[in-house]
Amino acid sequence: MLLDKLKLSKPLIKSMTEAGFLGPKEIQLKTMSRILGGQDIIAVGPEGSGKTTAYVLGVLMRLKYGFEEAPRALILVPDRERIDDVLAKFELLNRNNTIRIVPLYPDGNMEAQINEVTDGSDIVIATPDRARAVYLKLGLNLNKIIMFIVDDAAEIIKKGMQLPVAELARSIVKCQHLVFTEVVHDKLHLLIDQFMNQPALLEVSELAEKRLETIDQLLYHVPDYKTKLNLINLLMVDEEVFSKVIVFVNTRLTAEKVFKSLFKNFDKQVSVYKPLFFDHPGFDIIDDFKQSEDTRILIVADDLKESVDLSGIPFVVHLEIPAEKEVLISRIVKESGNEDKIAISFSTDIELVTVKKIEQAIGQLIPVAELPADLVIAKDVKIKKVKTKAPEDEGLSGAAFHEKKESNNKDYNYSSREKAKMKFKNR
């Protein structure tokens, strides 16, 4: 039997068979032996690749019995819906009635949740912020945890919940850490490097069968929004190539910000579709932009919820990845008789999750373009130099005046963001 390759107990094999599992998925084959062996792992795979089933089986194999005095597995997920998904998977595969599973919903009654955990639990499934809140109220005992699992880690980072994850992980003396994610990027490493111990990186890249014919695409992976602005300004310098461009952003407010950035370099060549402010140049009809000889860049906001006719436009740029993947997909599908055009997308680490979902939907990877050598990377500009003022009168002296110690002199200044980073690093 194919399921025997996972080397699970007979009750678990029986549960999988009755649940309709015909065989293990690639991610399960790659991770199971390491999970059962207690090793830290980072498992990377697209949605639907079987990551949740992998760690649910691993938890049920390692715990085996219930009725310990405190939880032995803590599973962190991004939202309430994901808690329900994981609970459903445990209910499908768990035949051991002694194992007690407690969900901590982000909008639930905290006192009731604390009582439920302290009354007896072996597995706790929670969002990071709620788990941390219950822990700080002494309702979650982490002393017996042997498995610390972060599911859908990229989505947790996207929601800005890195701090509670890191604090909970550092509060556990010693355990196995399992991180499951759709993408790996710098922000993820910044989080997990604080607590993981030489993890094995296990990756699968299953793509659905190619279902859609799309126009040519390019993806620029950039560190932050400011670098996006630098890049779009750098690309648009080539007027001969970028003769007519529509730039999509998520909101009308962002459209105005991008307009101001581009206007500095390209003046009347840039305009906004249905601008927020009456004094900004704009178009209310797309055909007017297409016929304009002076304007070659049009910024369009997705929150207008309007379908845009892209025929005759050689370049379609997504400065921001839309929250709903279907929005971007509708613009890259190749129609019969469609002229040659290119779709260029800019993505930060946070947006890579949606990019992966788009690749799954269209059944192909989007080629990643190399960043131009002369692109200014905003995050590399860290220390701002400030001029120090020499005393006007070197003869000043007395009780109210003394020269600065040499150790107190400085010719640099840190921003509040950099100070916060240094403070976090030193904790």
Side-chain angles (χ1 to χ4, degrees), residues 123-134:
I123 302 167
V124 172
I125 309 168
T127 56
D129 49 354
R130 179 46 63 104
R132 177 176 176 266
V134 173

Side-chain angles (χ1 to χ4, degrees), residues 125-300:
I125 309 168
T127 56
D129 49 354
R130 179 46 63 104
R132 177 176 176 266
V134 173
Y135 170 71
L136 292 176
K137 284 185 172 290
L138 305 180
L140 179 60
N141 185 348
L142 301 178
N143 293 333
K144 295 287 185 177
I145 294 291
I146 63 172
M147 300 182 77
F148 181 85
I149 301 166
V150 183
D151 188 14
D152 212 351
E155 188 65 27
I156 285 176
I157 292 172
K158 187 176 180 179
K159 291 178 178 290
M161 295 188 285
Q162 299 97 310
L163 182 59
V165 173
E167 288 189 354
L168 289 166
R170 292 197 298 262
S171 300
I172 301 170
V173 177
K174 185 179 180 182
C175 73
Q176 179 186 27
H177 303 97
L178 308 176
V179 172
F180 293 82
T181 181
E182 290 187 36
V183 293
V184 175
H185 47 58
D186 290 344
K187 288 184 184 296
L188 178 65
H189 278 296
L190 191 64
L191 169 63
I192 64 180
D193 287 353
Q194 300 177 58
F195 56 83
M196 296 197 82
N197 181 29
Q198 296 181 335
L201 178 62
L202 308 170
E203 187 170 4
V204 298
S205 54
E206 301 173 352
L207 281 174
E209 289 186 13
K210 189 173 181 179
R211 296 189 293 267
L212 298 174
E213 285 293 328
T214 64
I215 62 177
D216 293 335
Q217 296 183 77
L218 281 178
L219 176 70
Y220 284 102
H221 182 194
V222 296
D224 50 39
Y225 174 75
K226 287 184 178 180
T227 306
K228 283 186 179 184
L229 292 180
N230 294 342
L231 181 56
I232 190 71
N233 275 280
L234 185 60
L235 294 178
M236 293 302 109
V237 168
D238 195 334
E239 297 182 21
E240 187 175 341
V241 172
F242 294 98
S243 56
K244 215 70 171 173
V245 185
I246 287 185
V247 179
F248 286 102
V249 295
N250 288 343
T251 67
R252 296 177 75 187
L253 187 59
T254 305
E256 297 297 338
K257 292 179 180 178
V258 175
F259 167 77
K260 289 179 181 178
S261 175
L262 290 170
F263 186 78
K264 292 175 184 176
N265 295 321
F266 306 110
D267 197 18
K268 295 179 180 179
Q269 298 179 49
V270 59
S271 187
V272 181
Y273 181 60
K274 296 186 177 179
L276 272 175
F277 307 111
F278 70 91
D279 56 338
H280 284 179
F283 292 93
D284 290 331
I285 301 173
I286 294 294
D287 283 342
D288 291 346
F289 163 68
K290 293 179 181 180
Q291 295 167 13
S292 172
E293 295 181 359
D294 298 325
T295 308
R296 65 184 179 95
I297 305 167
L298 181 67
I299 306 164
V300 180

Side-chain angles (χ1 to χ4, degrees), residues 23 85-86 93 102 113 166 172 183 188 197 223 238 242 291 301 318 331 355 363-364 370 372 390 427:
D85 292 342
V86 177
L93 298 174
V102 175
Q113 290 177 347
I172 301 170
V183 293
L188 178 65
N197 181 29
D238 195 334
F242 294 98
Q291 295 167 13
H318 287 94
R331 296 170 184 153
V355 171
Q364 58 181 299
E370 188 174 342
R427 287 184 63 179

